[in-house]
Amino acid sequence: MNNIRTNTNDRISIIPEYIVLIFIALLLLIDFIPNTSGALIANIQFLYLSVLNFAIGIYFYRNSKLISLNIIPTLKRSYIVLGYLLFLIICGFSVFVARNTSLVITRITELIIVFCLFLNLSILLKDKLDLLYKIIFIVAIGAFFQSGLVLFKFSQIARYISIEEALRNMTGNTGNINIFAASLTIKIPFLLLGITHFSGIKKNFILLAFFFAGLAVFLTGARTSLLNLLLIIAVYVFYYLKINTFNKSSFLKVLVLIIPLIFALFISNRSFEKSKNNERYVSVENRFSQINTTDASAKARLTYWGNALKISNANPLLGIGLGNYRIESIPYEKTTENDFTVSLDPHNDFLEILAETGIINALLYLSLFVFILFINIKRVLKSTDTNIQTVAILTLMLLIVYGGDAFFNFPMYRPTMQIFFSLILALTIANSSRVFDQDNIVIFDTKKLLSVLVVLSFITSYSAFIIYKASNLEAEIIRDDINTNLKGALTGEEILDRMPKYPNVFLTSESFYEYAGIYFIREKNYNKALSCFSKASKINPYSGRINFYKHIISKEKGDLDSAYVYSKEAFYLRPRNLLFFKYATNMAAINKDTVEILKEHRIFSGYRKTPEAWIVSATELQKANFNQKNLIHFVDQGLKEIPNDSTLLKFKNDILVKRYTYEGQVFLSQSKFDKSLESFEKALKINPKDVYLLQSIGLNYYYSKKYTQALGYFLDAIKYPGLNNGLTEFYIGTCYLNINDRENACKYFNLSKAKNFAGAQQQLIKDCK
């Protein structure tokens, strides 16, 4: 069988057109798969892609005679295939350096799914690029419904919630506004070709789809997609004018491309005007003006990029392991990220590959983009075949969108983007007129390739299903919100029984064992909780959460010394975490450790210039019996850093009022009425509505037998809430009695009695018969 050869006529692919078009349509359905149970839509999407790979692989194997015999030598001699295959092999080898092999298996599964999809598309599209405009129309249908459904939902929910909130909900089924914008933008090159090719109803339909897509992208305010949109419009207009004589007809066709975007821009800005947001949703033009290094989002990206480079410098050859950036980046972010926020990825696929798999693999991955860029530019500029030029310009525009998104975001593990990455690779391979010698082509080579593809697709489908099940468990745990709730639908034992093989962490990097431990804490099973935390700390020891929950367990057990140690460990792992800061300083206060409170304050306030940094510390210093004079000086330092902060001012005033009131009461007990009054009046200047202070001044005058003055303060005191025991009314009655106003005296004795003050009844019997 190895010697079976074909004649020249068998070289061309005779796969039925409908198979190609149905497969493309099925791929585009990925944007409409509902996320009914999983925590991340990408997991079910990868499973869907892998099953499609398996199905088309079976079809190819059973109908191998329909496949172009040119495809095997084309793939064998393609730098794209060899480069991508070598890239995957190095990614796989990173398992030997990875601390978390679970994440390597997860990510390599997803990358192999994309690789298989690329090969399947290459086989499908070889000698089938005459179907390009039918494919374009299918993509246009997908873009129309994807953008149309989101715009319709926006118009509906904007009636009931704010425009700003409605805009932030423009995520489609991607779960992320930037991913949604990118998934639409990458379809626009197809629409541009369709508009200039078709006429009549088809052209009008694609124009409408283009308008909807452009409007949706503008409304998202996603800067990378906005920039990519402008670039591909400019590239295509330049290309179109280059290949067509610049005349009225070509000018009108170019104008047709621009007018829908102008209308979309106008409508977007009108919508933004109704939003009260002064940052993202001011205008489309404003979003472009924010593309600079001083913008908060840009600063964050630069920080993430810097961390990725630091990780790479520490692990230059093989990196830290594919997928492991999600965990191993956390220590690098302890001084830049607040609370429990982690970056999860560096918002740059090239740097992520650099950090995770080493510099050689990063250069290899980058070279794929460079190679595709140059080969398609060459075809656009030098090919005399207009069909080859058309496919090449489409591939270039797709590369611009995907490459731009890869530089600023993370499309590598987003199936809605990976479909088009596979298509970029496949179009570059299929768009070649090179014909190989038929004597070197054997059918058995095709069978071998197809059998490998089928086996790989079966394995990745099984693996993707495991990942999908883990995602479902993650979603159930998230719904339980066991971090704050005392009980959930699940139990600790159920989590252990359903513990995923991989991935072993949430999308947010926490271990499944960590959550099992939290469930056991809620169930008061502390030994099981500690056992789970021990396993979790080997997976992700960087977040401080495990230490925090160990502190909770120690407090529950009454072991305050251990609780103090664990609270400090949590804080020093994440010194920008407000929750950890509060608990650590509270434990320090319990231990009267004012030095530790001041130390933790210096660290936290050095990172976060917020009133809480001072309020929390001052409160705990007060609990630890910190010297009042020093405490006021401490608060004054906070007011210098955050001038006129109302919370800090109130805190300082409360301290001073309590201090002066206490001094006054001490002097009053010593019958030093003048000094007592002096202290009370200092407090009164700060808070003239403090009922206890007003009562204390009244007592000062009462005991110095100045009943008229005392009466005024007592009467002021009862105007405000807080004095409910009837004592003040009793003193008012006594004051009236001493100034010979028996009627009012009896009135207030009765009020005092109504509040169950013990002495009121006796006074009523004596003086109010």
Side-chain angles (χ1 to χ4, degrees):
M1 186 168 178
N2 290 352
N3 296 320
I4 295 176
R5 288 176 171 77
T6 61
N7 58 41
T8 307
N9 294 331
D10 292 327
R11 184 173 291 122
I12 303 301
S13 168
I14 52 174
I15 295 173
E17 289 185 7
Y18 73 88
I19 294 294
V20 179
L21 299 179
I22 287 174
F23 188 75
I24 296 294
L26 289 173
L27 287 178
L28 293 176
L29 281 179
I30 202 170
D31 290 317
F32 305 95
I33 296 174
N35 187 15
T36 56
S37 56
L40 184 66
I41 185 65
N43 292 320
I44 190 172
Q45 289 176 334
F46 271 122
L47 176 59
Y48 175 74
L49 287 183
S50 191
V51 171
L52 280 184
N53 279 335
F54 181 71
I56 197 69
I58 293 292
Y59 174 83
F60 286 155
Y61 190 83
R62 291 170 61 89
N63 299 275
S64 57
K65 292 181 180 180
L66 302 180
I67 296 171
S68 168
L69 291 182
N70 260 321
I71 192 62
I72 298 299
T74 299
L75 294 175
K76 276 185 175 180
R77 301 183 190 187
S78 169
Y79 170 78
I80 294 174
V81 176
L82 295 176
Y84 200 170
L85 189 58
L86 184 57
F87 164 74
L88 287 178
I89 291 170
I90 296 175
C91 285
F93 274 130
S94 73
V95 73
F96 296 109
V97 297
R99 292 186 183 179
N100 191 321
T101 57
S102 160
L103 289 175
V104 178
I105 296 170
T106 301
R107 288 312 196 193
I108 201 70
T109 295
E110 295 166 351
L111 291 178
I112 292 173
I113 289 171
V114 176
F115 180 70
C116 291
L117 178 60
F118 149 54
L119 294 180
N120 284 328
L121 283 171
S122 299
I123 294 169
L124 270 180
L125 295 175
K126 186 63 180 173
D127 305 326
K128 291 294 180 182
L129 292 180
D130 56 312
L131 299 176
L132 178 63
Y133 288 104
K134 291 182 179 179
I135 293 171
I136 284 172
F137 195 72
I138 291 172
V139 174
I141 294 172
F144 173 81
F145 282 105
Q146 185 185 8
S147 56
L149 288 171
V150 169
L151 290 172
F152 176 75
K153 180 182 176 183
F154 167 73
S155 67
Q156 294 300 302
I157 66 174
R159 300 176 183 179
Y160 308 104
I161 61 177
S162 69
I163 293 292
E164 179 186 347
E165 193 176 349
L167 288 167
R168 293 189 185 280
N169 275 293
M170 292 189 65
T171 60
N173 76 334
T174 65
N176 181 290
I177 198 167
N178 292 320
I179 298 171
F180 168 69
S183 71
L184 267 181
T185 307
I186 207 164
K187 295 180 178 74
I188 287 178
F190 293 89
L191 306 184
L192 296 175
L193 283 170
I195 291 167
T196 52
H197 172 79
F198 289 110
S199 59
I201 294 175
K202 285 185 177 180
K203 179 174 184 174
N204 291 334
F205 174 76
I206 297 176
L207 272 171
L208 183 60
F210 181 47
F211 168 71
F212 280 178
L215 177 58
V217 171
F218 284 149
L219 287 173
T220 63
R223 287 174 295 188
T224 301
S225 294
L226 291 173
L227 185 61
N228 284 336
L229 178 58
L230 286 188
L231 283 174
I232 58 177
I233 293 290
V235 166
Y236 188 66
V237 167
F238 177 80
Y239 165 78
Y240 186 80
L241 293 177
K242 177 182 176 296
I243 63 171
N244 292 281
T245 306
F246 188 79
N247 52 34
K248 183 178 179 181
S249 175
S250 59
F251 175 77
L252 288 175
K253 284 197 174 183
V254 166
L255 195 61
V256 166
L257 295 177
I258 296 172
I259 288 175
L261 284 185
I262 294 174
F263 275 110
L265 181 65
F266 174 76
I267 294 171
S268 300
N269 285 338
R270 288 295 300 272
S271 297
F272 289 162
E273 286 174 8
K274 298 176 183 178
S275 168
K276 296 179 181 179
N277 185 281
N278 293 321
E279 296 177 5
R280 186 182 184 108
Y281 302 113
V282 176
S283 68
V284 175
E285 299 87 342
N286 183 67
R287 286 299 284 167
F288 280 109
S289 70
Q290 292 175 354
I291 302 177
N292 56 67
T293 57
T294 61
D295 174 67
S297 177
K299 284 182 178 178
R301 275 182 172 78
L302 290 173
T303 300
Y304 300 153
W305 294 356
N307 289 340
L309 291 173
K310 289 176 185 176
I311 294 171
S312 175
N313 287 337
N315 309 271
L317 190 59
L318 288 176
I320 56 175
L322 187 69
N324 275 246
Y325 182 93
R326 184 189 305 185
I327 293 175
E328 298 304 324
S329 62
I330 296 174
Y332 292 85
E333 298 172 358
K334 62 185 289 185
T335 61
T336 58
E337 297 298 317
N338 292 338
D339 302 323
F340 298 103
T341 303
V342 291
S343 65
L344 302 176
D345 52 66
H347 286 257
N348 183 303
D349 280 349
F350 305 104
L351 290 178
E352 185 169 353
I353 289 298
L354 174 67
E356 292 182 346
T357 63
I359 190 169
I360 295 172
N361 208 33
L363 291 173
L364 182 60
Y365 185 64
L366 179 63
S367 70
L368 285 173
F369 287 80
V370 175
F371 179 78
I372 293 168
L373 176 68
F374 279 107
I375 198 170
N376 282 289
I377 288 176
K378 182 179 177 181
R379 287 171 181 171
V380 169
L381 297 178
K382 294 189 177 181
S383 178
T384 56
D385 188 330
T386 55
N387 292 324
I388 289 177
Q389 280 187 323
T390 300
V391 175
I393 194 64
L394 172 64
T395 309
L396 272 177
M397 289 190 288
L398 294 175
L399 185 67
I400 288 170
V401 177
Y402 186 88
D405 203 47
F407 192 80
F408 291 108
N409 291 306
F410 37 86
M412 182 179 292
Y413 301 113
R414 297 294 179 264
T416 185
M417 295 299 289
Q418 286 307 295
I419 288 172
F420 292 93
F421 179 64
S422 301
L423 194 59
I424 290 167
L425 303 177
L427 287 174
T428 304
I429 285 179
N431 190 30
S432 172
S433 58
R434 185 177 181 183
V435 177
F436 293 91
D437 184 358
Q438 64 178 12
D439 293 332
N440 295 323
I441 303 172
V442 290
I443 293 177
F444 187 64
D445 286 340
T446 305
K447 283 282 189 180
K448 283 194 295 185
L449 172 66
L450 297 177
S451 62
V452 168
L453 275 176
V454 170
V455 171
L456 273 178
S457 297
F458 178 80
I459 293 171
T460 56
S461 295
Y462 174 73
S463 185
F465 181 67
I466 292 173
I467 297 166
Y468 172 64
K469 284 175 64 180
S471 178
N472 287 345
L473 178 59
E474 180 179 347
E476 289 180 52
I477 294 172
I478 290 171
R479 284 194 291 271
D480 272 352
D481 191 16
I482 203 66
N483 287 308
T484 55
N485 292 332
L486 297 179
K487 188 178 180 181
L490 298 170
T491 65
E493 289 295 345
E494 285 178 306
I495 304 297
L496 292 182
D497 290 341
R498 296 173 59 185
M499 189 62 63
K501 296 178 183 178
Y502 53 86
N504 56 11
V505 296
F506 277 33
L507 173 67
T508 48
S509 82
E510 301 104 330
S511 163
F512 280 91
Y513 276 110
E514 181 179 316
Y515 273 94
I518 299 170
Y519 275 91
F520 282 123
I521 287 178
R522 304 307 186 208
E523 296 162 15
K524 307 294 183 184
N525 191 339
Y526 298 132
N527 289 334
K528 280 268 187 151
L530 289 171
S531 174
C532 289
F533 287 144
S534 177
K535 294 175 182 178
S537 64
K538 295 175 183 177
I539 297 170
N540 179 1
Y542 306 122
S543 70
R545 283 166 50 88
I546 295 170
N547 312 74
F548 173 76
Y549 281 109
K550 283 183 176 180
H551 140 263
I552 296 292
I553 291 173
S554 295
K555 278 184 75 175
E556 289 288 323
K557 289 183 172 182
D559 185 358
L560 295 182
D561 289 339
S562 295
Y564 187 26
V565 171
Y566 288 131
S567 68
K568 287 194 289 186
E569 287 177 353
F571 172 73
Y572 287 113
L573 278 171
R574 296 287 290 185
R576 296 179 65 111
N577 188 302
L578 180 59
L579 180 68
F580 293 170
F581 175 60
K582 287 179 177 179
Y583 276 86
T585 52
N586 177 254
M587 289 306 303
I590 291 171
N591 285 272
K592 308 300 180 188
D593 192 347
T594 56
V595 174
E596 179 64 23
I597 295 172
L598 291 170
K599 179 183 176 183
E600 291 175 7
H601 166 78
R602 281 194 298 272
I603 294 171
F604 185 83
S605 63
Y607 296 130
R608 298 180 68 172
K609 309 294 183 184
T610 63
E612 289 92 338
W614 296 88
I615 291 296
V616 169
S617 301
T619 302
E620 300 305 334
L621 285 169
Q622 193 174 38
K623 290 178 185 176
N625 298 325
F626 195 54
N627 180 276
Q628 275 208 347
K629 185 176 179 182
N630 290 338
L631 182 59
I632 291 169
H633 176 69
F634 176 82
V635 176
D636 283 336
Q637 286 180 310
L639 286 168
K640 285 181 182 177
E641 188 171 300
I642 311 172
N644 302 318
D645 179 76
S646 59
T647 311
L648 274 174
L649 281 170
K650 184 180 183 304
F651 188 87
K652 177 184 176 180
N653 290 338
D654 287 346
I655 294 172
L656 289 173
V657 168
K658 288 176 183 177
R659 174 183 168 186
Y660 293 138
T661 302
Y662 177 74
E663 285 178 359
Q665 287 170 344
V666 170
F667 286 132
L668 183 60
S669 67
Q670 298 169 351
S671 298
K672 296 178 180 179
F673 300 120
D674 290 341
K675 286 188 176 182
S676 171
L677 189 59
E678 184 180 336
S679 295
F680 287 147
E681 285 178 343
K682 286 180 183 178
L684 195 64
K685 287 180 181 178
I686 298 170
N687 187 359
K689 296 181 180 180
D690 188 306
V691 292
Y692 301 104
L693 179 58
L694 290 167
Q695 186 185 61
S696 295
I697 296 174
L699 288 171
N700 180 288
Y701 283 116
Y702 179 85
Y703 289 126
S704 59
K705 302 188 182 211
K706 298 177 181 178
Y707 301 114
T708 303
Q709 291 94 322
L711 188 59
Y713 283 98
F714 286 139
L715 288 170
D716 280 346
I718 63 171
K719 292 178 183 177
Y720 305 106
L723 301 174
N724 301 314
N725 60 2
L727 177 64
T728 310
E729 287 84 355
F730 179 82
Y731 277 116
I732 292 172
T734 306
C735 287
Y736 275 123
L737 202 60
N738 279 286
I739 61 173
N740 299 315
D741 187 344
R742 188 177 298 274
E743 182 181 349
N744 275 318
C746 294
K747 172 186 173 184
Y748 280 93
F749 286 143
N750 275 307
L751 289 173
S752 179
K753 178 187 175 183
K755 292 185 177 182
N756 299 315
F757 184 71
Q761 178 64 36
Q762 185 179 354
Q763 203 67 43
L764 283 167
I765 294 170
K766 180 182 176 184
D767 296 303
C768 301
K769 293 179 180 178

